[in-house]
Amino acid sequence: MRAPLGDFDVVRTAPEALDLLVPSVAEAVRGWSGSVAADELIHVDTEPEWADTATFLEHYGPELLSQSANCVVVAGKRGGDTTLAACVVLSGTRVDVNGVVRRRLGARKASFAPMGTATGETGMEYGGITPIGLPAAWPLLVDAAVADLPHVLIGSGSRRGKLIVPGKVFAGLPGAVVVEGLGVAA
């Protein structure tokens, strides 16, 4: 099987790679009811030490930057309440945490969630967080530029491996809202 983008040695459909996915992502794939068939979610096996964007691009090709996205966990605070949410933006951009995110969450203050919170609440590894398999009650903010891509390379829940999914999938995930301008120039 060949991946729809990039040049990877080991490529399988996500349902065939359940053993490589963290439990929350594997469960989401098992119970998949998205806008495309689960077999259109592709898992590519990659080296865990190359999971971070810059290193990944060095090893797998800089052309993947425009087709890659990052999923980050943010915390919005208002009074004594904290709302956790996830944001998906193109890898060459950064999340507008203090503008778009803060307003969308109705928060007085927004920031990136601490690593322990992000990994503990998602059950995913830092550097591999993906919107597929996040807690269903969380808001999921997706930059329109990500949703518009034919295919997107994103984390798989662990540092080993990535998922390649059609961009339109993100709009149909639990809690998802497509937002213009969520990702801003880095």
Side-chain angles (χ1 to χ4, degrees), residues 10-51:
V10 182
V11 181
R12 297 189 280 177
T13 67
E16 295 172 329
L18 294 175
D19 58 318
L20 297 176
L21 301 174
V22 298
S24 61
V25 178
E27 185 61 34
V29 170
R30 262 190 225 98
W32 187 256
S33 61
S35 60
V36 301
D39 285 348
E40 289 190 50
L41 309 177
I42 304 299
H43 181 273
V44 293
D45 197 13
T46 59
E47 297 295 329
E49 62 270 18
W50 299 341

mmCIF file of all heavy atoms in Angstrom, residues 10-51:
data_model
loop_
_atom_site.group_PDB
_atom_site.id
_atom_site.type_symbol
_atom_site.label_atom_id
_atom_site.label_comp_id
_atom_site.label_asym_id
_atom_site.label_seq_id
_atom_site.Cartn_x
_atom_site.Cartn_y
_atom_site.Cartn_z
ATOM 1 N N VAL A 10 6.402 1.654 5.743
ATOM 2 C CA VAL A 10 5.340 0.809 6.298
ATOM 3 C C VAL A 10 4.051 1.624 6.361
ATOM 4 O O VAL A 10 3.944 2.581 7.134
ATOM 5 C CB VAL A 10 5.708 0.274 7.701
ATOM 6 C CG1 VAL A 10 4.604 -0.630 8.234
ATOM 7 C CG2 VAL A 10 7.039 -0.471 7.658
ATOM 8 N N VAL A 11 3.091 1.238 5.535
ATOM 9 C CA VAL A 11 1.818 1.953 5.410
ATOM 10 C C VAL A 11 0.684 0.943 5.559
ATOM 11 O O VAL A 11 0.672 -0.077 4.867
ATOM 12 C CB VAL A 11 1.720 2.639 4.020
ATOM 13 C CG1 VAL A 11 0.412 3.396 3.883
ATOM 14 C CG2 VAL A 11 2.903 3.561 3.788
ATOM 15 N N ARG A 12 -0.243 1.234 6.472
ATOM 16 C CA ARG A 12 -1.406 0.372 6.670
ATOM 17 C C ARG A 12 -2.623 1.243 6.929
ATOM 18 O O ARG A 12 -2.486 2.390 7.352
ATOM 19 C CB ARG A 12 -1.214 -0.539 7.887
ATOM 20 C CG ARG A 12 -0.063 -1.497 7.761
ATOM 21 C CD ARG A 12 -0.049 -2.501 8.876
ATOM 22 N NE ARG A 12 0.520 -1.912 10.082
ATOM 23 C CZ ARG A 12 0.611 -2.528 11.244
ATOM 24 N NH1 ARG A 12 0.143 -3.743 11.386
ATOM 25 N NH2 ARG A 12 1.142 -1.938 12.283
ATOM 26 N N THR A 13 -3.796 0.691 6.718
ATOM 27 C CA THR A 13 -4.987 1.414 7.134
ATOM 28 C C THR A 13 -4.975 1.451 8.658
ATOM 29 O O THR A 13 -4.408 0.553 9.305
ATOM 30 C CB THR A 13 -6.277 0.733 6.635
ATOM 31 O OG1 THR A 13 -6.426 -0.520 7.295
ATOM 32 C CG2 THR A 13 -6.284 0.571 5.121
ATOM 33 N N ALA A 14 -5.582 2.468 9.247
ATOM 34 C CA ALA A 14 -5.612 2.568 10.705
ATOM 35 C C ALA A 14 -6.260 1.337 11.344
ATOM 36 O O ALA A 14 -5.763 0.860 12.374
ATOM 37 C CB ALA A 14 -6.300 3.859 11.135
ATOM 38 N N PRO A 15 -7.358 0.784 10.772
ATOM 39 C CA PRO A 15 -7.915 -0.435 11.382
ATOM 40 C C PRO A 15 -6.936 -1.615 11.392
ATOM 41 O O PRO A 15 -7.041 -2.492 12.249
ATOM 42 C CB PRO A 15 -9.141 -0.740 10.510
ATOM 43 C CG PRO A 15 -9.557 0.592 9.976
ATOM 44 C CD PRO A 15 -8.246 1.318 9.737
ATOM 45 N N GLU A 16 -5.974 -1.627 10.485
ATOM 46 C CA GLU A 16 -4.960 -2.686 10.468
ATOM 47 C C GLU A 16 -3.807 -2.393 11.423
ATOM 48 O O GLU A 16 -2.963 -3.258 11.662
ATOM 49 C CB GLU A 16 -4.393 -2.858 9.057
ATOM 50 C CG GLU A 16 -5.393 -3.345 8.043
ATOM 51 C CD GLU A 16 -4.838 -3.309 6.622
ATOM 52 O OE1 GLU A 16 -3.994 -2.436 6.306
ATOM 53 O OE2 GLU A 16 -5.285 -4.157 5.840
ATOM 54 N N ALA A 17 -3.760 -1.182 11.974
ATOM 55 C CA ALA A 17 -2.649 -0.763 12.837
ATOM 56 C C ALA A 17 -3.100 -0.528 14.279
ATOM 57 O O ALA A 17 -2.421 0.175 15.022
ATOM 58 C CB ALA A 17 -2.018 0.504 12.273
ATOM 59 N N LEU A 18 -4.212 -1.099 14.688
ATOM 60 C CA LEU A 18 -4.737 -0.856 16.037
ATOM 61 C C LEU A 18 -3.714 -1.167 17.123
ATOM 62 O O LEU A 18 -3.683 -0.497 18.154
ATOM 63 C CB LEU A 18 -6.020 -1.665 16.267
ATOM 64 C CG LEU A 18 -7.219 -1.275 15.410
ATOM 65 C CD1 LEU A 18 -8.375 -2.233 15.647
ATOM 66 C CD2 LEU A 18 -7.639 0.162 15.677
ATOM 67 N N ASP A 19 -2.856 -2.160 16.883
ATOM 68 C CA ASP A 19 -1.848 -2.542 17.868
ATOM 69 C C ASP A 19 -0.793 -1.453 18.081
ATOM 70 O O ASP A 19 -0.097 -1.454 19.092
ATOM 71 C CB ASP A 19 -1.177 -3.853 17.466
ATOM 72 C CG ASP A 19 -0.506 -3.795 16.101
ATOM 73 O OD1 ASP A 19 -1.108 -3.222 15.159
ATOM 74 O OD2 ASP A 19 0.617 -4.320 15.963
ATOM 75 N N LEU A 20 -0.679 -0.511 17.153
ATOM 76 C CA LEU A 20 0.295 0.577 17.276
ATOM 77 C C LEU A 20 -0.324 1.867 17.819
ATOM 78 O O LEU A 20 0.382 2.845 18.035
ATOM 79 C CB LEU A 20 0.944 0.865 15.917
ATOM 80 C CG LEU A 20 1.766 -0.270 15.319
ATOM 81 C CD1 LEU A 20 2.265 0.119 13.930
ATOM 82 C CD2 LEU A 20 2.931 -0.635 16.227
ATOM 83 N N LEU A 21 -1.638 1.868 18.001
ATOM 84 C CA LEU A 21 -2.335 3.076 18.448
ATOM 85 C C LEU A 21 -2.579 3.026 19.951
ATOM 86 O O LEU A 21 -2.798 1.954 20.515
ATOM 87 C CB LEU A 21 -3.678 3.205 17.710
ATOM 88 C CG LEU A 21 -3.596 3.272 16.187
ATOM 89 C CD1 LEU A 21 -4.994 3.258 15.579
ATOM 90 C CD2 LEU A 21 -2.822 4.502 15.753
ATOM 91 N N VAL A 22 -2.560 4.185 20.595
ATOM 92 C CA VAL A 22 -2.887 4.248 22.015
ATOM 93 C C VAL A 22 -4.369 3.883 22.169
ATOM 94 O O VAL A 22 -5.148 3.996 21.215
ATOM 95 C CB VAL A 22 -2.574 5.640 22.621
ATOM 96 C CG1 VAL A 22 -1.087 5.942 22.525
ATOM 97 C CG2 VAL A 22 -3.403 6.733 22.000
ATOM 98 N N PRO A 23 -4.787 3.430 23.360
ATOM 99 C CA PRO A 23 -6.161 2.938 23.519
ATOM 100 C C PRO A 23 -7.270 3.887 23.059
ATOM 101 O O PRO A 23 -8.209 3.447 22.388
ATOM 102 C CB PRO A 23 -6.257 2.651 25.024
ATOM 103 C CG PRO A 23 -4.848 2.294 25.407
ATOM 104 C CD PRO A 23 -3.982 3.200 24.568
ATOM 105 N N SER A 24 -7.180 5.176 23.368
ATOM 106 C CA SER A 24 -8.265 6.089 22.980
ATOM 107 C C SER A 24 -8.366 6.247 21.461
ATOM 108 O O SER A 24 -9.468 6.347 20.910
ATOM 109 C CB SER A 24 -8.092 7.465 23.645
ATOM 110 O OG SER A 24 -6.877 8.072 23.240
ATOM 111 N N VAL A 25 -7.239 6.236 20.771
ATOM 112 C CA VAL A 25 -7.240 6.355 19.314
ATOM 113 C C VAL A 25 -7.718 5.046 18.689
ATOM 114 O O VAL A 25 -8.540 5.051 17.767
ATOM 115 C CB VAL A 25 -5.849 6.764 18.779
ATOM 116 C CG1 VAL A 25 -5.844 6.832 17.257
ATOM 117 C CG2 VAL A 25 -5.429 8.109 19.376
ATOM 118 N N ALA A 26 -7.246 3.922 19.208
ATOM 119 C CA ALA A 26 -7.693 2.617 18.702
ATOM 120 C C ALA A 26 -9.207 2.470 18.867
ATOM 121 O O ALA A 26 -9.892 2.001 17.954
ATOM 122 C CB ALA A 26 -6.962 1.486 19.427
ATOM 123 N N GLU A 27 -9.731 2.899 19.992
ATOM 124 C CA GLU A 27 -11.184 2.826 20.231
ATOM 125 C C GLU A 27 -11.944 3.712 19.250
ATOM 126 O O GLU A 27 -12.987 3.328 18.717
ATOM 127 C CB GLU A 27 -11.502 3.227 21.674
ATOM 128 C CG GLU A 27 -12.946 3.068 22.054
ATOM 129 C CD GLU A 27 -13.439 1.632 21.939
ATOM 130 O OE1 GLU A 27 -12.662 0.696 22.187
ATOM 131 O OE2 GLU A 27 -14.629 1.447 21.578
ATOM 132 N N ALA A 28 -11.422 4.902 18.989
ATOM 133 C CA ALA A 28 -12.072 5.805 18.027
ATOM 134 C C ALA A 28 -12.069 5.197 16.622
ATOM 135 O O ALA A 28 -13.060 5.314 15.893
ATOM 136 C CB ALA A 28 -11.374 7.166 18.023
ATOM 137 N N VAL A 29 -10.998 4.542 16.251
ATOM 138 C CA VAL A 29 -10.918 3.903 14.934
ATOM 139 C C VAL A 29 -11.878 2.710 14.877
ATOM 140 O O VAL A 29 -12.603 2.535 13.894
ATOM 141 C CB VAL A 29 -9.468 3.484 14.599
ATOM 142 C CG1 VAL A 29 -9.412 2.612 13.356
ATOM 143 C CG2 VAL A 29 -8.589 4.723 14.433
ATOM 144 N N ARG A 30 -11.904 1.887 15.943
ATOM 145 C CA ARG A 30 -12.822 0.738 15.992
ATOM 146 C C ARG A 30 -14.271 1.172 15.837
ATOM 147 O O ARG A 30 -15.048 0.523 15.164
ATOM 148 C CB ARG A 30 -12.669 -0.005 17.312
ATOM 149 C CG ARG A 30 -11.796 -1.189 17.239
ATOM 150 C CD ARG A 30 -11.874 -2.031 18.520
ATOM 151 N NE ARG A 30 -10.531 -2.387 18.894
ATOM 152 C CZ ARG A 30 -9.784 -1.765 19.806
ATOM 153 N NH1 ARG A 30 -10.260 -0.783 20.515
ATOM 154 N NH2 ARG A 30 -8.562 -2.151 20.040
ATOM 155 N N GLY A 31 -14.643 2.258 16.476
ATOM 156 C CA GLY A 31 -16.030 2.730 16.454
ATOM 157 C C GLY A 31 -16.277 3.818 15.421
ATOM 158 O O GLY A 31 -17.241 4.577 15.526
ATOM 159 N N TRP A 32 -15.409 3.942 14.435
ATOM 160 C CA TRP A 32 -15.437 5.034 13.468
ATOM 161 C C TRP A 32 -16.773 5.148 12.754
ATOM 162 O O TRP A 32 -17.319 4.166 12.258
ATOM 163 C CB TRP A 32 -14.324 4.853 12.451
ATOM 164 C CG TRP A 32 -14.191 6.010 11.523
ATOM 165 C CD1 TRP A 32 -14.596 6.076 10.226
ATOM 166 C CD2 TRP A 32 -13.646 7.290 11.833
ATOM 167 N NE1 TRP A 32 -14.313 7.326 9.707
ATOM 168 C CE2 TRP A 32 -13.740 8.083 10.677
ATOM 169 C CE3 TRP A 32 -13.086 7.838 12.989
ATOM 170 C CZ2 TRP A 32 -13.275 9.400 10.644
ATOM 171 C CZ3 TRP A 32 -12.635 9.141 12.950
ATOM 172 C CH2 TRP A 32 -12.727 9.908 11.779
ATOM 173 N N SER A 33 -17.301 6.372 12.708
ATOM 174 C CA SER A 33 -18.531 6.653 11.941
ATOM 175 C C SER A 33 -18.404 8.015 11.261
ATOM 176 O O SER A 33 -19.372 8.749 11.144
ATOM 177 C CB SER A 33 -19.750 6.618 12.856
ATOM 178 O OG SER A 33 -19.643 7.615 13.863
ATOM 179 N N GLY A 34 -17.219 8.332 10.823
ATOM 180 C CA GLY A 34 -16.935 9.628 10.219
ATOM 181 C C GLY A 34 -17.430 9.746 8.795
ATOM 182 O O GLY A 34 -18.104 8.855 8.267
ATOM 183 N N SER A 35 -17.052 10.845 8.163
ATOM 184 C CA SER A 35 -17.522 11.162 6.802
ATOM 185 C C SER A 35 -16.845 10.319 5.730
ATOM 186 O O SER A 35 -17.253 10.344 4.576
ATOM 187 C CB SER A 35 -17.294 12.645 6.514
ATOM 188 O OG SER A 35 -15.914 12.953 6.609
ATOM 189 N N VAL A 36 -15.799 9.589 6.088
ATOM 190 C CA VAL A 36 -15.131 8.664 5.172
ATOM 191 C C VAL A 36 -15.036 7.309 5.878
ATOM 192 O O VAL A 36 -15.163 7.218 7.105
ATOM 193 C CB VAL A 36 -13.715 9.157 4.771
ATOM 194 C CG1 VAL A 36 -13.773 10.526 4.106
ATOM 195 C CG2 VAL A 36 -12.770 9.175 5.955
ATOM 196 N N ALA A 37 -14.791 6.274 5.130
ATOM 197 C CA ALA A 37 -14.628 4.942 5.713
ATOM 198 C C ALA A 37 -13.361 4.901 6.570
ATOM 199 O O ALA A 37 -12.385 5.603 6.289
ATOM 200 C CB ALA A 37 -14.543 3.901 4.605
ATOM 201 N N ALA A 38 -13.369 4.081 7.601
ATOM 202 C CA ALA A 38 -12.206 3.953 8.487
ATOM 203 C C ALA A 38 -10.958 3.550 7.715
ATOM 204 O O ALA A 38 -9.841 3.926 8.091
ATOM 205 C CB ALA A 38 -12.493 2.952 9.601
ATOM 206 N N ASP A 39 -11.131 2.812 6.624
ATOM 207 C CA ASP A 39 -9.979 2.392 5.819
ATOM 208 C C ASP A 39 -9.302 3.559 5.110
ATOM 209 O O ASP A 39 -8.208 3.400 4.575
ATOM 210 C CB ASP A 39 -10.403 1.355 4.774
ATOM 211 C CG ASP A 39 -10.644 -0.015 5.400
ATOM 212 O OD1 ASP A 39 -10.272 -0.201 6.577
ATOM 213 O OD2 ASP A 39 -11.200 -0.881 4.716
ATOM 214 N N GLU A 40 -9.936 4.732 5.094
ATOM 215 C CA GLU A 40 -9.300 5.915 4.508
ATOM 216 C C GLU A 40 -8.411 6.648 5.517
ATOM 217 O O GLU A 40 -7.739 7.610 5.172
ATOM 218 C CB GLU A 40 -10.351 6.862 3.936
ATOM 219 C CG GLU A 40 -10.997 6.315 2.680
ATOM 220 C CD GLU A 40 -11.862 7.337 1.985
ATOM 221 O OE1 GLU A 40 -11.380 8.467 1.755
ATOM 222 O OE2 GLU A 40 -13.024 7.005 1.694
ATOM 223 N N LEU A 41 -8.428 6.188 6.764
ATOM 224 C CA LEU A 41 -7.498 6.699 7.779
ATOM 225 C C LEU A 41 -6.259 5.822 7.661
ATOM 226 O O LEU A 41 -6.327 4.608 7.845
ATOM 227 C CB LEU A 41 -8.096 6.586 9.182
ATOM 228 C CG LEU A 41 -9.489 7.163 9.393
ATOM 229 C CD1 LEU A 41 -9.954 6.912 10.819
ATOM 230 C CD2 LEU A 41 -9.523 8.637 9.066
ATOM 231 N N ILE A 42 -5.134 6.418 7.335
ATOM 232 C CA ILE A 42 -3.912 5.676 7.044
ATOM 233 C C ILE A 42 -2.903 5.868 8.172
ATOM 234 O O ILE A 42 -2.703 6.985 8.657
ATOM 235 C CB ILE A 42 -3.294 6.164 5.707
ATOM 236 C CG1 ILE A 42 -4.314 6.054 4.563
ATOM 237 C CG2 ILE A 42 -2.011 5.408 5.396
ATOM 238 C CD1 ILE A 42 -4.815 4.672 4.279
ATOM 239 N N HIS A 43 -2.266 4.781 8.579
ATOM 240 C CA HIS A 43 -1.189 4.841 9.576
ATOM 241 C C HIS A 43 0.132 4.598 8.865
ATOM 242 O O HIS A 43 0.265 3.647 8.097
ATOM 243 C CB HIS A 43 -1.394 3.778 10.656
ATOM 244 C CG HIS A 43 -0.335 3.811 11.708
ATOM 245 N ND1 HIS A 43 0.858 3.130 11.598
ATOM 246 C CD2 HIS A 43 -0.284 4.470 12.887
ATOM 247 C CE1 HIS A 43 1.593 3.363 12.669
ATOM 248 N NE2 HIS A 43 0.929 4.165 13.469
ATOM 249 N N VAL A 44 1.088 5.486 9.100
ATOM 250 C CA VAL A 44 2.442 5.286 8.587
ATOM 251 C C VAL A 44 3.364 5.117 9.790
ATOM 252 O O VAL A 44 3.300 5.879 10.742
ATOM 253 C CB VAL A 44 2.900 6.436 7.656
ATOM 254 C CG1 VAL A 44 2.072 6.433 6.377
ATOM 255 C CG2 VAL A 44 2.835 7.791 8.323
ATOM 256 N N ASP A 45 4.173 4.075 9.746
ATOM 257 C CA ASP A 45 5.079 3.787 10.848
ATOM 258 C C ASP A 45 6.308 4.674 10.708
ATOM 259 O O ASP A 45 6.941 4.703 9.644
ATOM 260 C CB ASP A 45 5.464 2.310 10.811
ATOM 261 C CG ASP A 45 6.044 1.833 12.125
ATOM 262 O OD1 ASP A 45 5.928 2.552 13.141
ATOM 263 O OD2 ASP A 45 6.626 0.732 12.142
ATOM 264 N N THR A 46 6.620 5.418 11.746
ATOM 265 C CA THR A 46 7.759 6.329 11.728
ATOM 266 C C THR A 46 8.550 6.172 13.020
ATOM 267 O O THR A 46 8.050 5.624 14.006
ATOM 268 C CB THR A 46 7.295 7.793 11.583
ATOM 269 O OG1 THR A 46 6.437 8.115 12.692
ATOM 270 C CG2 THR A 46 6.547 8.015 10.273
ATOM 271 N N GLU A 47 9.754 6.666 13.004
ATOM 272 C CA GLU A 47 10.631 6.576 14.169
ATOM 273 C C GLU A 47 10.188 7.555 15.262
ATOM 274 O O GLU A 47 10.009 8.743 14.986
ATOM 275 C CB GLU A 47 12.078 6.883 13.772
ATOM 276 C CG GLU A 47 12.668 5.898 12.792
ATOM 277 C CD GLU A 47 12.795 4.503 13.369
ATOM 278 O OE1 GLU A 47 13.001 4.354 14.597
ATOM 279 O OE2 GLU A 47 12.682 3.546 12.583
ATOM 280 N N PRO A 48 10.020 7.077 16.499
ATOM 281 C CA PRO A 48 9.563 7.962 17.586
ATOM 282 C C PRO A 48 10.486 9.151 17.844
ATOM 283 O O PRO A 48 10.021 10.236 18.162
ATOM 284 C CB PRO A 48 9.505 7.054 18.809
ATOM 285 C CG PRO A 48 9.768 5.682 18.351
ATOM 286 C CD PRO A 48 10.211 5.716 16.927
ATOM 287 N N GLU A 49 11.790 8.953 17.667
ATOM 288 C CA GLU A 49 12.723 10.059 17.948
ATOM 289 C C GLU A 49 12.651 11.151 16.892
ATOM 290 O O GLU A 49 13.219 12.221 17.064
ATOM 291 C CB GLU A 49 14.165 9.546 18.110
ATOM 292 C CG GLU A 49 14.746 8.885 16.896
ATOM 293 C CD GLU A 49 14.496 7.373 16.824
ATOM 294 O OE1 GLU A 49 13.606 6.855 17.512
ATOM 295 O OE2 GLU A 49 15.190 6.719 16.036
ATOM 296 N N TRP A 50 11.911 10.916 15.805
ATOM 297 C CA TRP A 50 11.751 11.904 14.746
ATOM 298 C C TRP A 50 10.350 12.512 14.748
ATOM 299 O O TRP A 50 9.922 13.115 13.765
ATOM 300 C CB TRP A 50 12.036 11.293 13.381
ATOM 301 C CG TRP A 50 13.424 10.759 13.207
ATOM 302 C CD1 TRP A 50 14.535 11.070 13.946
ATOM 303 C CD2 TRP A 50 13.857 9.823 12.233
ATOM 304 N NE1 TRP A 50 15.627 10.388 13.489
ATOM 305 C CE2 TRP A 50 15.240 9.602 12.431
ATOM 306 C CE3 TRP A 50 13.226 9.142 11.199
ATOM 307 C CZ2 TRP A 50 15.986 8.743 11.638
ATOM 308 C CZ3 TRP A 50 13.978 8.279 10.410
ATOM 309 C CH2 TRP A 50 15.345 8.083 10.631
ATOM 310 N N ALA A 51 9.612 12.386 15.837
ATOM 311 C CA ALA A 51 8.210 12.806 15.882
ATOM 312 C C ALA A 51 8.016 14.322 15.811
ATOM 313 O O ALA A 51 7.026 14.792 15.263
ATOM 314 C CB ALA A 51 7.531 12.265 17.139
#
